[in-house]
Amino acid sequence: MSSYTRIVNKSSFYIPSLVVGLIILGNLIIVWNTESKIPLYADNPPFRLDDYTRSFRISSESKLLHLLDEDLSTQWKKLGEGTPSADFDVELSLTHLWDGNLYATKNWDSLDLEFCSEQKTRFEVILREAINVDKELRLPDDEIFYSEVIQAKTGDKVSIDLKKLKDLPNRTDYPEGIYIVVLRGKVLESKSVPACLQSIKVNL
C-alpha cells in the first residue's frame, strides 16, 4: 500500500469522526446552556421586551431586561423617542399555569413599579392573546385590562392591583382563553432627562 493510499484512508476515517465529535459537542453545549437558564426562566420567562425608544442602542446601561433582574443598581432610561402610544412593551407572564391536569389561573396579586426619576407616565396592563403562531397567520389581539397615568417622584414605589385576573376561568386547551400579561409604558413628562424606571415586579 502506497503512502498516498494510507493518507487517504486515514483522512476518510478522521474527518467523519471529527464532524461527529463536533456535532456531539455542540449538542452538549446547547443542553448545558438550556438547563442553566431554566431556573432563571422560572422567574423571568423569555418573553418579548420591546423598547420602541431604542435606548439600548444608545447605551448598554439602559435595557428593559434591567427592570426584571431584581438588581437595583440597574435601570431603564428613556434615551430616545418611542411611538405616539408607547415607549416600551414588556411581556411579563402567562395568565395560566399547567398544574398537571389543566391550565389553572395563577394567583395574581399585584404589579410593583419603582421609579428613579420624577415623571408622569401612562401605564397600561394588556392581555395579549397567546395564539399558536404555527397555526394562526396573524398578530395576536390585545385587550387593555388596566390604564392609568401615574405621577411619580424619584424613589417612589407604585403598586397596580391585578387580583381581578384571578377571575379568568381555568382552561384545558392551550392557548384558548390564555393570555400574556404585558406592561406598556409611555413617558408623558419628565422632570429629569432622561426619565428613569428602576424595576418591575410581578407578585403572585
Side-chain angles (χ1 to χ4, degrees):
M1 181 182 296
S2 67
S3 59
Y4 174 76
T5 304
R6 286 195 297 270
I7 292 173
V8 171
N9 288 339
K10 288 182 179 180
S11 297
S12 63
F13 171 77
Y14 287 121
I15 292 176
S17 299
L18 179 61
V19 171
V20 171
L22 289 174
I23 291 173
I24 293 172
L25 178 61
N27 286 332
L28 288 174
I29 291 173
I30 291 172
V31 169
W32 176 83
N33 192 46
T34 301
E35 288 182 346
S36 67
K37 289 182 178 179
I38 287 174
L40 173 64
Y41 289 168
D43 296 321
N44 182 21
F47 292 133
R48 288 186 55 170
L49 306 173
D50 293 316
D51 185 350
Y52 304 116
T53 70
R54 306 293 185 192
S55 296
F56 61 92
R57 292 186 176 179
I58 299 171
S59 172
S60 61
E61 295 182 0
S62 177
K63 296 180 180 179
L64 290 176
L65 187 60
H66 291 163
L67 299 178
L68 305 172
D69 62 9
E70 300 185 6
D71 182 354
L72 295 183
S73 68
T74 62
Q75 306 92 19
W76 173 82
K77 295 181 179 180
K78 181 179 176 178
L79 303 177
E81 192 53 51
T83 69
S85 60
D87 288 330
F88 62 79
D89 279 353
V90 177
E91 294 186 350
L92 297 169
S93 174
L94 287 171
T95 52
H96 295 66
L97 181 68
W98 177 252
D99 68 1
N101 296 305
L102 50 75
Y103 293 94
T105 308
K106 292 182 178 178
N107 189 29
W108 291 93
D109 184 48
S110 63
L111 176 63
D112 294 341
L113 307 171
E114 188 166 351
F115 297 83
C116 43
S117 72
E118 186 172 350
Q119 60 187 270
K120 181 180 180 182
T121 305
R122 182 178 64 248
F123 288 102
E124 294 176 339
V125 176
I126 294 170
L127 298 184
R128 177 164 293 163
E129 186 184 15
I131 65 173
N132 188 333
V133 293
D134 293 329
K135 297 181 179 180
E136 302 281 354
L137 299 178
R138 63 180 176 85
L139 293 174
D141 291 332
D142 284 352
E143 174 187 342
I144 297 177
F145 171 78
Y146 162 93
S147 181
E148 183 180 355
V149 174
I150 295 175
Q151 184 77 52
K153 296 180 180 180
T154 302
D156 278 358
K157 297 180 180 179
V158 176
S159 184
I160 297 172
D161 190 351
L162 299 180
K163 290 185 179 67
K164 287 186 178 179
L165 286 177
K166 291 190 287 188
D167 295 337
L168 292 172
N170 296 335
R171 296 292 181 176
T172 55
D173 298 319
Y174 181 88
E176 186 67 31
I178 296 174
Y179 304 91
I180 299 172
V181 178
V182 182
L183 179 67
R184 174 171 293 168
K186 177 64 181 180
V187 178
L188 305 176
E189 297 175 11
S190 179
K191 293 294 184 180
S192 62
V193 179
C196 178
L197 192 60
Q198 191 85 54
S199 69
I200 299 171
K201 184 179 180 182
V202 177
N203 298 307
L204 297 172

